Amino acid sequence: MTRLAVVDRDYCKPDKCTLECIRFCPVNRTKKVKAIDLSEDKTHSVIFEDKCIGCGICVKKCPFNAISIVNVPDELEKQLVHRYGENMFKLYGLPVPKTGGVLGIIGKNGAGKTTSIKILSGQLKPNLGDYSSDPEWDRVVKAFKGSELQTYFSRLANNELKSVVKPQYIEAARRVLKGNVGELLSKADERGLFKDVVERLNLKNLLDRSVSELSGGELQKFLVAAVLLKNADAYFFDEPCSYLDVRERVRVADAIREFTNPSKNYVVVVEHDLMILDYISDNIVVIYGEPGVYGIASKPYGVRAGINHYLNGYLPAENMRIRPEAVRFRIQVAEKRFEESEYPVIKWERMIHQYPSSGFKLVVEEGEAYPGEVLGILGPNGVGKSTFIKLLSGELKPVEGSVLISAEKVSVKPQELSPKIFPEETVSQALRNASTDALNPASWLYNELVRKLRLNRMLDRRIEELSGGELQKVAVAVSLAREADLYLLDEPSAYLDVEERIVVARVIRRIIEEKRKTAIVVEHDLMLQNYISDKIVVFTGKPSIEGYASRTLNIREGFNTLLMNLSITVRKDSETGRPRINKPGSVLDREQKARGEYYIP
Ligand code: ADP
Ligand code: ADP
Ligand code: SF4
């Protein structure tokens, strides 16, 4: 076995502890050799993997959980592709892109998906574990001898393979890119496809807008369009669906397949919305391992098998269990979670609201929500969801109809994430300001929010240093910790992996049930929305002109209404029960449409 010691530099703070890791290490205590010591600049601990006996004492002693020690088979070491540095993350193997189909990548956050994309796109030269020097391309190409990656890397080394990447975090692009959408897209257009891509992604109305003014979803589509317009041999899309509604997700998936020419080019997509990943990919590679410590790329599987193996937690070709239990999505149709004796917490009549300045008009059908209920919202952005919430809280008065029981206090988790949404500096300050109970380890709130969302480790961290996924979990926790009558969570899944999505969904349901309050959740990952909600309100309309909100529907009615509007049918996977989009025009698609059963007949 090979010893692998990782010290997370974001967490290791030698000036805030008593160096327990170094003092208690049994190798150090022999006073002959050292297995662990402070780095020269005294900013973190350094573990000498060849001297360490793997006892795990430092792992337990570190008050910040900054150390991981694992043993990996020597065999695996032969597949080492990259190590970022001393005591840092190791990536074993790589997803092998192939022409002839779209390759989907799935795995936990921190497992090495973005690292793989950086290497395959040529942004990061793999060092084969030797981080002290910059390896020659010859060595890299030789290391992949006999595999398809040999040709891939020799093309990359000789600048014969042009690649282009849609990055995971899009917020940074807003700061860097200056100019309006139309100008930037025509500059990016190396293939003469400007008109077609703009049309396909429905970007016409945005061409005169400055990039700095785009909403999250608009920015996402703009970046996907810019990548599609480039003339490349390899196209990479790192989470192309965050901030997009269901129609736009399908539109982006169709555009990627249509414009990247997967029969000739390499096309790789990382995505956690499994229904979309399933729809877009031909093959799947699972990246497993221990997040932040090491990642291993699996062999490619067919799309259905790959996603099912991932959910089942077992990879047959590798004979590897990647999770002790299977992940199952509960497909529920209608469930009553409130007591018959309880009164609604919010109740509204049919309402009409119109903003005099913009003319935007919203019609809302009547509805109600009971204590402990989660109301799911489906539909595009810009058709009045925020206006609806403002009506429910009494901030806006409708022109017609009224709210009979209103929610006076509303706690909001906004869609777009940025450290600026918090006035506080650290995670614990933000949680403490939301509720004094949130940081009391004896409280149920601490157990539900801090423990279940695994924020314990992050409490001292500065909010501006968090990754997108960490920021999302903190934002969800802070909004749920506050006292309110109504909780609005706008796209809580963005930047979370599949397992984190399920944990967040469970936490939302538990807190709302426990508090006997109501949550309204806007979520476009349908598998997740099905998991979270008890009832659905479907929004339709023309963005910024008019909106229509349906009455509260049960899950089946809600999903059916949405999918009928999109002309998409969805079936259930026989093995895992997960929803799968039918191929347009297929026998099942036609049959389900004829019967009017758009969602899982
Ligand atoms: P994923 O995309 O699957 O979430 P990443 O490839 O982004 O995972 O990261 C895998 C691991 O590598 C993470 O634990 C991260 O901390 C580490 N890592 C990423 N970039 C660097 C870097 N430049 N230096 C050191 N460690 C890094
Ligand atoms: P969503 O939450 O679904 O994205 P909103 O309710 O925020 O939609 O907005 C719907 C439309 O109403 C938008 O086109 C927006 O321009 C318009 N709007 C929102 N707030 C105001 C306001 N205070 N005055 C005028 N128009 C507004
Ligand atoms: Fe020392 Fe290694 Fe044990 Fe840590 S795991 S205490 S470095 S011997």
Side-chain angles (χ1 to χ4, degrees), residues 174 179 181 206 208-216 218-219 416:
R174 206 196 303 277
V181 170
L206 300 178
D208 295 330
R209 292 261 291 280
S210 155
V211 171
S212 60
E213 290 165 7
L214 297 181
S215 71
E218 290 164 349
L219 185 63
E416 265 194 77

Side-chain angles (χ1 to χ4, degrees), residues 355 357-358 360 381-387 544:
Y355 290 110
S357 55
S358 64
F360 176 81
N381 294 316
V383 294
K385 294 184 302 284
S386 314
T387 307
S544 50

